[in-house]
């Protein structure tokens, strides 16, 4: 049969051990570290799991977890992943990567949102900012999207969900709009 849930499915005409093993996989790793690279150094003390770095399980209801249109909200608190966030140095300046590490495997065939906020600061204590492209795409800047309209809609929705997560996490002292404006990078994965 066909697989549309993000799991591996290698085609074969004659079964063999390798293809059968691949077809038993659930797709991508559910516990691999995720790295977000910065162009310069960042202050490790400003990188805080569920403070400036977020990994959020989304609720896709009965819909296809691969389809962003299936997102109906954030999964309940009991289903949220636990993770650690740290700063490492890779291929360039020191302290230039935020590494997000699930502390237990993520649920397979589920959609997640990763986002960072401007609470992450550089070595001079200046707040990090969204890239020009992320800012334009995630705010639906007129005349910018064109053929990237689909990506813009996903990023706008991701930023909106992130704003709501921040608002709830602060007990409402930050509004969802204010929370969304704090987001410097956001992406979803399944």
């Amino acid at each position: 049969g066909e697989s549309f849930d993000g799991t591996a499915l290698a085609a074969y005409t004659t079964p063999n051990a390798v293809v059968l093993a691949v077809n038993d996989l659930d797709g991508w790793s559910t516990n691999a570290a995720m790295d977000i690279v910065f162009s310069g150094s960042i202050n490790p003390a400003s990188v805080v799991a569920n403070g400036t770095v977020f990994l959020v399980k989304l609720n896709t209801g009965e819909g296809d977890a691969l389809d962003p249109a299936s997102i109906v909200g954030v999964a309940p608190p009991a289903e949220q992943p636990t993770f650690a966030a740290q700063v490492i140095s890779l291929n360039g300046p020191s302290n230039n990567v935020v590494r997000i590490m699930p502390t237990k495997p993520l649920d397979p065939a589920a959609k997640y949102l990763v986002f960072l906020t401007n609470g992450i600061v550089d070595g001079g204590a200046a707040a990090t900012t969204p890239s020009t492209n992320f800012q334009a795409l995630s705010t639906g800047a007129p005349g910018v999207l064109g053929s990237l309209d689909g990506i813009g809609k996903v990023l706008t929705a991701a930023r909106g969900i992130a704003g709501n997560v921040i608002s709830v996490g602060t007990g409402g002292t930050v509004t969802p709009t204010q929370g969304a404006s704090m987001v410097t990078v956001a992406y979803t994965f399944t």
Side-chain angles (χ1 to χ4, degrees), residues 15-81:
N16 65 62
V18 173
V19 171
L20 294 175
V22 167
N23 284 345
D24 285 339
L25 295 175
D26 286 334
W28 305 110
S29 174
T30 57
N31 61 353
M34 296 164 265
D35 292 342
I36 301 173
V37 180
F38 286 76
S39 59
S41 297
I42 54 176
N43 182 337
S46 67
V47 173
V48 180
N50 291 319
T52 57
V53 178
F54 294 84
L55 172 61
V56 179
K57 183 178 178 184
L58 300 174
N59 179 356
T60 55
E62 298 298 317
D64 179 357
L66 293 177
D67 184 357
S70 295
I71 298 170
V72 295
V74 174
E79 294 181 24
Q80 291 304 319

Short mmCIF file of all heavy atoms in Angstrom, two decimals, residues 15-81:
data_model
loop_
_atom_site.label_atom_id
_atom_site.label_comp_id
_atom_site.label_asym_id
_atom_site.label_seq_id
_atom_site.Cartn_x
_atom_site.Cartn_y
_atom_site.Cartn_z
N PRO A 15 10.99 -9.00 -2.34
CA PRO A 15 11.34 -8.62 -0.97
C PRO A 15 12.77 -9.02 -0.61
O PRO A 15 13.24 -10.08 -1.03
CB PRO A 15 10.35 -9.39 -0.10
CG PRO A 15 9.31 -9.93 -1.01
CD PRO A 15 9.89 -9.94 -2.39
N ASN A 16 13.45 -8.15 0.10
CA ASN A 16 14.76 -8.50 0.65
C ASN A 16 14.87 -7.88 2.04
O ASN A 16 14.09 -7.00 2.40
CB ASN A 16 15.90 -8.05 -0.29
CG ASN A 16 15.99 -6.56 -0.43
OD1 ASN A 16 16.23 -5.86 0.55
ND2 ASN A 16 15.81 -6.05 -1.65
N ALA A 17 15.86 -8.31 2.80
CA ALA A 17 15.97 -7.90 4.20
C ALA A 17 16.13 -6.39 4.37
O ALA A 17 15.55 -5.79 5.28
CB ALA A 17 17.14 -8.63 4.86
N VAL A 18 16.89 -5.75 3.49
CA VAL A 18 17.12 -4.31 3.62
C VAL A 18 15.83 -3.53 3.40
O VAL A 18 15.46 -2.66 4.19
CB VAL A 18 18.22 -3.85 2.64
CG1 VAL A 18 18.35 -2.34 2.65
CG2 VAL A 18 19.54 -4.51 2.98
N VAL A 19 15.12 -3.83 2.33
CA VAL A 19 13.89 -3.11 2.02
C VAL A 19 12.84 -3.37 3.10
O VAL A 19 12.15 -2.45 3.53
CB VAL A 19 13.35 -3.51 0.62
CG1 VAL A 19 11.97 -2.93 0.38
CG2 VAL A 19 14.31 -3.03 -0.45
N LEU A 20 12.73 -4.58 3.55
CA LEU A 20 11.76 -4.87 4.61
C LEU A 20 12.10 -4.13 5.90
O LEU A 20 11.22 -3.64 6.60
CB LEU A 20 11.66 -6.37 4.84
CG LEU A 20 11.08 -7.18 3.66
CD1 LEU A 20 11.15 -8.67 3.95
CD2 LEU A 20 9.66 -6.74 3.35
N ALA A 21 13.39 -4.01 6.21
CA ALA A 21 13.80 -3.28 7.41
C ALA A 21 13.48 -1.79 7.27
O ALA A 21 12.98 -1.16 8.21
CB ALA A 21 15.29 -3.48 7.67
N VAL A 22 13.74 -1.21 6.09
CA VAL A 22 13.43 0.20 5.87
C VAL A 22 11.93 0.41 6.00
O VAL A 22 11.47 1.40 6.60
CB VAL A 22 13.94 0.66 4.48
CG1 VAL A 22 13.34 2.02 4.11
CG2 VAL A 22 15.45 0.73 4.49
N ASN A 23 11.12 -0.48 5.47
CA ASN A 23 9.67 -0.31 5.55
C ASN A 23 9.14 -0.43 6.97
O ASN A 23 8.04 0.01 7.26
CB ASN A 23 8.96 -1.30 4.63
CG ASN A 23 9.05 -0.88 3.18
OD1 ASN A 23 9.38 0.26 2.87
ND2 ASN A 23 8.77 -1.79 2.28
N ASP A 24 9.92 -1.00 7.87
CA ASP A 24 9.53 -1.09 9.27
C ASP A 24 9.86 0.19 10.05
O ASP A 24 9.41 0.37 11.17
CB ASP A 24 10.19 -2.28 9.96
CG ASP A 24 9.54 -3.60 9.56
OD1 ASP A 24 8.38 -3.58 9.10
OD2 ASP A 24 10.20 -4.64 9.72
N LEU A 25 10.64 1.08 9.45
CA LEU A 25 11.01 2.32 10.13
C LEU A 25 9.83 3.27 10.17
O LEU A 25 8.96 3.26 9.31
CB LEU A 25 12.17 3.00 9.40
CG LEU A 25 13.50 2.25 9.39
CD1 LEU A 25 14.50 2.99 8.51
CD2 LEU A 25 14.03 2.10 10.79
N ASP A 26 9.83 4.15 11.16
CA ASP A 26 8.77 5.15 11.29
C ASP A 26 9.11 6.45 10.59
O ASP A 26 8.42 7.44 10.77
CB ASP A 26 8.51 5.45 12.77
CG ASP A 26 7.77 4.32 13.44
OD1 ASP A 26 7.06 3.59 12.75
OD2 ASP A 26 7.93 4.18 14.66
N GLY A 27 10.16 6.51 9.83
CA GLY A 27 10.53 7.74 9.15
C GLY A 27 11.73 8.36 9.83
O GLY A 27 12.70 7.68 10.12
N TRP A 28 11.69 9.65 10.12
CA TRP A 28 12.82 10.36 10.71
C TRP A 28 12.95 10.02 12.18
O TRP A 28 12.01 9.60 12.83
CB TRP A 28 12.66 11.86 10.52
CG TRP A 28 12.47 12.23 9.09
CD1 TRP A 28 11.34 12.68 8.50
CD2 TRP A 28 13.43 12.09 8.05
NE1 TRP A 28 11.53 12.86 7.17
CE2 TRP A 28 12.81 12.50 6.86
CE3 TRP A 28 14.75 11.67 8.00
CZ2 TRP A 28 13.47 12.51 5.65
CZ3 TRP A 28 15.40 11.68 6.78
CH2 TRP A 28 14.77 12.11 5.63
N SER A 29 14.12 10.26 12.72
CA SER A 29 14.39 9.99 14.12
C SER A 29 13.44 10.76 15.03
O SER A 29 13.12 11.92 14.77
CB SER A 29 15.83 10.37 14.45
OG SER A 29 16.06 10.24 15.83
N THR A 30 13.01 10.11 16.08
CA THR A 30 12.11 10.76 17.04
C THR A 30 12.85 11.29 18.25
O THR A 30 12.23 11.79 19.19
CB THR A 30 11.00 9.79 17.50
OG1 THR A 30 11.62 8.63 18.06
CG2 THR A 30 10.10 9.41 16.35
N ASN A 31 14.19 11.14 18.25
CA ASN A 31 14.95 11.66 19.38
C ASN A 31 16.27 12.32 18.99
O ASN A 31 17.11 12.55 19.83
CB ASN A 31 15.19 10.56 20.42
CG ASN A 31 15.98 9.41 19.88
OD1 ASN A 31 16.27 9.34 18.68
ND2 ASN A 31 16.35 8.48 20.74
N ALA A 32 16.44 12.64 17.73
CA ALA A 32 17.67 13.30 17.28
C ALA A 32 17.67 14.77 17.71
O ALA A 32 16.63 15.41 17.80
CB ALA A 32 17.79 13.21 15.76
N ALA A 33 18.86 15.29 17.94
CA ALA A 33 19.01 16.71 18.26
C ALA A 33 18.69 17.54 17.03
O ALA A 33 18.91 17.12 15.90
CB ALA A 33 20.42 16.98 18.74
N MET A 34 18.15 18.73 17.26
CA MET A 34 17.87 19.69 16.19
C MET A 34 18.74 20.91 16.42
O MET A 34 18.79 21.43 17.54
CB MET A 34 16.39 20.10 16.23
CG MET A 34 15.44 18.95 15.96
SD MET A 34 13.77 19.35 16.48
CE MET A 34 13.78 18.62 18.13
N ASP A 35 19.44 21.35 15.39
CA ASP A 35 20.34 22.50 15.50
C ASP A 35 19.80 23.68 14.71
O ASP A 35 19.40 23.53 13.55
CB ASP A 35 21.74 22.14 14.98
CG ASP A 35 22.45 21.13 15.86
OD1 ASP A 35 22.04 20.95 17.03
OD2 ASP A 35 23.42 20.52 15.38
N ILE A 36 19.83 24.84 15.32
CA ILE A 36 19.46 26.09 14.65
C ILE A 36 20.69 26.99 14.69
O ILE A 36 21.15 27.38 15.77
CB ILE A 36 18.24 26.75 15.32
CG1 ILE A 36 17.05 25.78 15.27
CG2 ILE A 36 17.91 28.08 14.65
CD1 ILE A 36 15.84 26.23 16.03
N VAL A 37 21.22 27.29 13.51
CA VAL A 37 22.49 28.00 13.38
C VAL A 37 22.26 29.51 13.31
O VAL A 37 21.36 29.98 12.62
CB VAL A 37 23.24 27.52 12.12
CG1 VAL A 37 24.57 28.25 11.97
CG2 VAL A 37 23.46 26.01 12.16
N PHE A 38 23.11 30.24 14.02
CA PHE A 38 23.11 31.70 14.00
C PHE A 38 24.36 32.18 13.28
O PHE A 38 25.38 31.49 13.25
CB PHE A 38 23.08 32.26 15.43
CG PHE A 38 21.75 32.13 16.11
CD1 PHE A 38 21.32 30.90 16.61
CD2 PHE A 38 20.92 33.22 16.23
CE1 PHE A 38 20.09 30.78 17.22
CE2 PHE A 38 19.68 33.11 16.85
CZ PHE A 38 19.26 31.88 17.34
N SER A 39 24.31 33.39 12.74
CA SER A 39 25.45 33.92 12.00
C SER A 39 26.54 34.43 12.93
O SER A 39 27.68 34.61 12.51
CB SER A 39 25.01 35.04 11.06
OG SER A 39 24.40 36.08 11.80
N GLY A 40 26.23 34.65 14.20
CA GLY A 40 27.21 35.10 15.17
C GLY A 40 27.03 34.38 16.49
O GLY A 40 26.19 33.48 16.61
N SER A 41 27.79 34.78 17.48
CA SER A 41 27.72 34.14 18.80
C SER A 41 26.48 34.60 19.55
O SER A 41 26.06 35.75 19.44
CB SER A 41 28.97 34.50 19.61
OG SER A 41 30.12 33.98 18.99
N ILE A 42 25.93 33.70 20.35
CA ILE A 42 24.80 34.03 21.22
C ILE A 42 25.18 33.72 22.66
O ILE A 42 26.09 32.92 22.93
CB ILE A 42 23.52 33.28 20.81
CG1 ILE A 42 23.75 31.77 20.73
CG2 ILE A 42 22.99 33.79 19.49
CD1 ILE A 42 22.50 30.97 20.44
N ASN A 43 24.50 34.36 23.58
CA ASN A 43 24.76 34.19 25.00
C ASN A 43 24.09 32.91 25.48
O ASN A 43 22.86 32.83 25.48
CB ASN A 43 24.24 35.39 25.77
CG ASN A 43 24.52 35.32 27.25
OD1 ASN A 43 24.72 34.24 27.82
ND2 ASN A 43 24.53 36.47 27.89
N PRO A 44 24.88 31.91 25.91
CA PRO A 44 24.28 30.64 26.36
C PRO A 44 23.27 30.80 27.49
O PRO A 44 22.31 30.04 27.57
CB PRO A 44 25.49 29.82 26.82
CG PRO A 44 26.64 30.39 26.06
CD PRO A 44 26.34 31.87 25.94
N ALA A 45 23.44 31.78 28.35
CA ALA A 45 22.51 31.97 29.47
C ALA A 45 21.12 32.39 29.01
O ALA A 45 20.15 32.23 29.74
CB ALA A 45 23.07 33.00 30.45
N SER A 46 21.02 32.90 27.78
CA SER A 46 19.71 33.35 27.28
C SER A 46 18.92 32.25 26.59
O SER A 46 17.78 32.47 26.19
CB SER A 46 19.90 34.54 26.32
OG SER A 46 20.56 34.16 25.13
N VAL A 47 19.51 31.08 26.47
CA VAL A 47 18.85 29.94 25.82
C VAL A 47 18.23 29.06 26.89
O VAL A 47 18.93 28.38 27.63
CB VAL A 47 19.85 29.16 24.94
CG1 VAL A 47 19.23 27.89 24.39
CG2 VAL A 47 20.35 30.05 23.81
N VAL A 48 16.90 29.13 26.99
CA VAL A 48 16.17 28.45 28.07
C VAL A 48 15.01 27.66 27.47
O VAL A 48 14.14 28.23 26.80
CB VAL A 48 15.63 29.49 29.09
CG1 VAL A 48 14.86 28.79 30.20
CG2 VAL A 48 16.75 30.36 29.63
N ALA A 49 15.00 26.34 27.71
CA ALA A 49 13.89 25.50 27.24
C ALA A 49 12.59 26.00 27.85
O ALA A 49 12.51 26.26 29.05
CB ALA A 49 14.13 24.04 27.63
N ASN A 50 11.58 26.18 26.99
CA ASN A 50 10.26 26.70 27.37
C ASN A 50 10.32 28.11 27.95
O ASN A 50 9.40 28.53 28.66
CB ASN A 50 9.54 25.74 28.33
CG ASN A 50 9.13 24.47 27.62
OD1 ASN A 50 8.68 24.50 26.49
ND2 ASN A 50 9.33 23.34 28.29
N GLY A 51 11.39 28.82 27.63
CA GLY A 51 11.51 30.22 28.02
C GLY A 51 11.81 31.08 26.80
O GLY A 51 11.15 32.06 26.53
N THR A 52 12.86 30.68 26.07
CA THR A 52 13.21 31.34 24.81
C THR A 52 13.28 30.35 23.65
O THR A 52 13.35 30.75 22.50
CB THR A 52 14.56 32.07 24.92
OG1 THR A 52 15.58 31.13 25.32
CG2 THR A 52 14.49 33.22 25.93
N VAL A 53 13.27 29.07 23.99
CA VAL A 53 13.31 27.98 23.01
C VAL A 53 12.13 27.06 23.28
O VAL A 53 11.94 26.62 24.42
CB VAL A 53 14.63 27.18 23.12
CG1 VAL A 53 14.65 26.03 22.13
CG2 VAL A 53 15.84 28.08 22.95
N PHE A 54 11.35 26.79 22.24
CA PHE A 54 10.13 26.02 22.44
C PHE A 54 10.05 24.86 21.46
O PHE A 54 10.41 25.00 20.28
CB PHE A 54 8.90 26.91 22.25
CG PHE A 54 8.78 27.98 23.29
CD1 PHE A 54 9.47 29.18 23.15
CD2 PHE A 54 7.98 27.80 24.41
CE1 PHE A 54 9.36 30.18 24.11
CE2 PHE A 54 7.88 28.79 25.37
CZ PHE A 54 8.57 29.99 25.22
N LEU A 55 9.59 23.73 21.95
CA LEU A 55 9.27 22.55 21.14
C LEU A 55 7.86 22.15 21.56
O LEU A 55 7.63 21.75 22.69
CB LEU A 55 10.26 21.42 21.40
CG LEU A 55 9.95 20.07 20.77
CD1 LEU A 55 9.90 20.16 19.24
CD2 LEU A 55 10.99 19.03 21.21
N VAL A 56 6.90 22.32 20.64
CA VAL A 56 5.48 22.18 20.97
C VAL A 56 4.84 21.13 20.06
O VAL A 56 4.94 21.22 18.84
CB VAL A 56 4.76 23.53 20.80
CG1 VAL A 56 3.28 23.41 21.11
CG2 VAL A 56 5.42 24.61 21.64
N LYS A 57 4.17 20.17 20.68
CA LYS A 57 3.40 19.20 19.88
C LYS A 57 2.08 19.86 19.49
O LYS A 57 1.40 20.48 20.31
CB LYS A 57 3.12 17.93 20.68
CG LYS A 57 2.39 16.88 19.87
CD LYS A 57 2.16 15.61 20.66
CE LYS A 57 1.38 14.60 19.83
NZ LYS A 57 1.07 13.39 20.61
N LEU A 58 1.75 19.73 18.21
CA LEU A 58 0.52 20.31 17.70
C LEU A 58 -0.57 19.25 17.59
O LEU A 58 -0.27 18.06 17.48
CB LEU A 58 0.77 20.95 16.33
CG LEU A 58 1.81 22.06 16.34
CD1 LEU A 58 2.10 22.54 14.92
CD2 LEU A 58 1.37 23.22 17.22
N ASN A 59 -1.81 19.69 17.62
CA ASN A 59 -2.95 18.80 17.49
C ASN A 59 -3.42 18.86 16.03
O ASN A 59 -3.79 19.92 15.54
CB ASN A 59 -4.06 19.25 18.43
CG ASN A 59 -5.30 18.40 18.35
OD1 ASN A 59 -5.40 17.49 17.53
ND2 ASN A 59 -6.27 18.69 19.20
N THR A 60 -3.38 17.72 15.35
CA THR A 60 -3.87 17.66 13.97
C THR A 60 -5.17 16.87 13.89
O THR A 60 -5.62 16.53 12.79
CB THR A 60 -2.82 17.03 13.04
OG1 THR A 60 -2.44 15.76 13.54
CG2 THR A 60 -1.59 17.92 12.92
N GLY A 61 -5.78 16.62 15.04
CA GLY A 61 -7.06 15.90 15.06
C GLY A 61 -6.94 14.58 14.31
O GLY A 61 -5.98 13.85 14.47
N GLU A 62 -7.91 14.31 13.48
CA GLU A 62 -7.91 13.10 12.67
C GLU A 62 -7.27 13.34 11.31
O GLU A 62 -7.23 12.46 10.46
CB GLU A 62 -9.34 12.58 12.49
CG GLU A 62 -10.01 12.17 13.80
CD GLU A 62 -9.28 11.03 14.48
OE1 GLU A 62 -8.87 10.08 13.81
OE2 GLU A 62 -9.10 11.13 15.73
N GLY A 63 -6.76 14.57 11.09
CA GLY A 63 -6.19 14.94 9.80
C GLY A 63 -4.81 14.36 9.58
O GLY A 63 -4.19 13.77 10.46
N ASP A 64 -4.30 14.58 8.40
CA ASP A 64 -2.98 14.14 7.98
C ASP A 64 -1.93 15.00 8.68
O ASP A 64 -1.90 16.22 8.50
CB ASP A 64 -2.87 14.27 6.46
CG ASP A 64 -1.53 13.86 5.89
OD1 ASP A 64 -0.62 13.51 6.67
OD2 ASP A 64 -1.39 13.90 4.66
N ALA A 65 -1.05 14.39 9.47
CA ALA A 65 -0.04 15.13 10.21
C ALA A 65 0.92 15.87 9.28
O ALA A 65 1.56 16.83 9.69
CB ALA A 65 0.73 14.20 11.13
N LEU A 66 1.03 15.44 8.03
CA LEU A 66 1.92 16.13 7.09
C LEU A 66 1.30 17.39 6.51
O LEU A 66 2.00 18.25 6.00
CB LEU A 66 2.29 15.19 5.93
CG LEU A 66 3.16 13.99 6.29
CD1 LEU A 66 3.39 13.12 5.07
CD2 LEU A 66 4.48 14.44 6.88
N ASP A 67 0.00 17.53 6.61
CA ASP A 67 -0.70 18.66 6.00
C ASP A 67 -0.87 19.79 7.02
O ASP A 67 -1.57 19.63 8.02
CB ASP A 67 -2.07 18.21 5.50
CG ASP A 67 -2.83 19.30 4.78
OD1 ASP A 67 -2.34 20.45 4.71
OD2 ASP A 67 -3.93 18.99 4.28
N PRO A 68 -0.21 20.95 6.81
CA PRO A 68 -0.36 22.05 7.76
C PRO A 68 -1.81 22.48 7.97
O PRO A 68 -2.16 22.99 9.03
CB PRO A 68 0.45 23.18 7.12
CG PRO A 68 1.40 22.50 6.20
CD PRO A 68 0.69 21.27 5.72
N ALA A 69 -2.67 22.25 6.99
CA ALA A 69 -4.08 22.62 7.12
C ALA A 69 -4.79 21.75 8.17
O ALA A 69 -5.88 22.09 8.61
CB ALA A 69 -4.78 22.50 5.77
N SER A 70 -4.17 20.65 8.57
CA SER A 70 -4.76 19.77 9.57
C SER A 70 -4.56 20.26 11.00
O SER A 70 -5.15 19.73 11.93
CB SER A 70 -4.18 18.35 9.45
OG SER A 70 -4.54 17.77 8.22
N ILE A 71 -3.72 21.27 11.18
CA ILE A 71 -3.45 21.76 12.54
C ILE A 71 -4.71 22.43 13.09
O ILE A 71 -5.26 23.34 12.48
CB ILE A 71 -2.28 22.77 12.54
CG1 ILE A 71 -0.99 22.09 12.06
CG2 ILE A 71 -2.08 23.36 13.93
CD1 ILE A 71 0.15 23.05 11.80
N VAL A 72 -5.16 21.93 14.24
CA VAL A 72 -6.35 22.50 14.87
C VAL A 72 -6.01 23.16 16.21
O VAL A 72 -6.89 23.66 16.89
CB VAL A 72 -7.46 21.44 15.06
CG1 VAL A 72 -7.96 20.96 13.71
CG2 VAL A 72 -6.98 20.27 15.90
N GLY A 73 -4.75 23.16 16.58
CA GLY A 73 -4.33 23.79 17.82
C GLY A 73 -3.11 23.11 18.40
O GLY A 73 -2.41 22.37 17.72
N VAL A 74 -2.92 23.35 19.68
CA VAL A 74 -1.79 22.79 20.41
C VAL A 74 -2.29 21.56 21.17
O VAL A 74 -3.39 21.56 21.71
CB VAL A 74 -1.21 23.84 21.38
CG1 VAL A 74 -0.14 23.26 22.27
CG2 VAL A 74 -0.67 25.03 20.60
N ALA A 75 -1.48 20.51 21.18
CA ALA A 75 -1.84 19.30 21.92
C ALA A 75 -1.92 19.62 23.42
O ALA A 75 -1.30 20.59 23.89
CB ALA A 75 -0.81 18.20 21.66
N PRO A 76 -2.66 18.83 24.18
CA PRO A 76 -2.81 19.08 25.63
C PRO A 76 -1.45 19.05 26.35
O PRO A 76 -0.51 18.40 25.89
CB PRO A 76 -3.69 17.93 26.10
CG PRO A 76 -4.30 17.34 24.89
CD PRO A 76 -3.41 17.66 23.74
N PRO A 77 -1.37 19.73 27.49
CA PRO A 77 -0.10 19.79 28.24
C PRO A 77 0.51 18.42 28.52
O PRO A 77 1.74 18.26 28.45
CB PRO A 77 -0.48 20.50 29.54
CG PRO A 77 -1.64 21.36 29.16
CD PRO A 77 -2.39 20.56 28.12
N ALA A 78 -0.31 17.42 28.83
CA ALA A 78 0.22 16.09 29.15
C ALA A 78 0.93 15.44 27.97
O ALA A 78 1.73 14.53 28.15
CB ALA A 78 -0.91 15.19 29.64
N GLU A 79 0.64 15.90 26.74
CA GLU A 79 1.26 15.34 25.55
C GLU A 79 2.48 16.13 25.07
O GLU A 79 3.12 15.76 24.10
CB GLU A 79 0.23 15.27 24.41
CG GLU A 79 -0.90 14.32 24.66
CD GLU A 79 -1.88 14.28 23.49
OE1 GLU A 79 -1.48 14.61 22.35
OE2 GLU A 79 -3.05 13.92 23.73
N GLN A 80 2.80 17.23 25.75
CA GLN A 80 3.92 18.06 25.31
C GLN A 80 5.25 17.37 25.60
O GLN A 80 5.43 16.72 26.63
CB GLN A 80 3.86 19.43 25.96
CG GLN A 80 2.70 20.28 25.49
CD GLN A 80 2.69 20.47 23.98
OE1 GLN A 80 3.71 20.66 23.34
NE2 GLN A 80 1.50 20.40 23.41
N PRO A 81 6.19 17.51 24.67
CA PRO A 81 7.49 16.86 24.85
C PRO A 81 8.35 17.54 25.90
O PRO A 81 8.18 18.73 26.19
CB PRO A 81 8.14 17.01 23.47
CG PRO A 81 7.52 18.24 22.90
CD PRO A 81 6.11 18.27 23.42
#
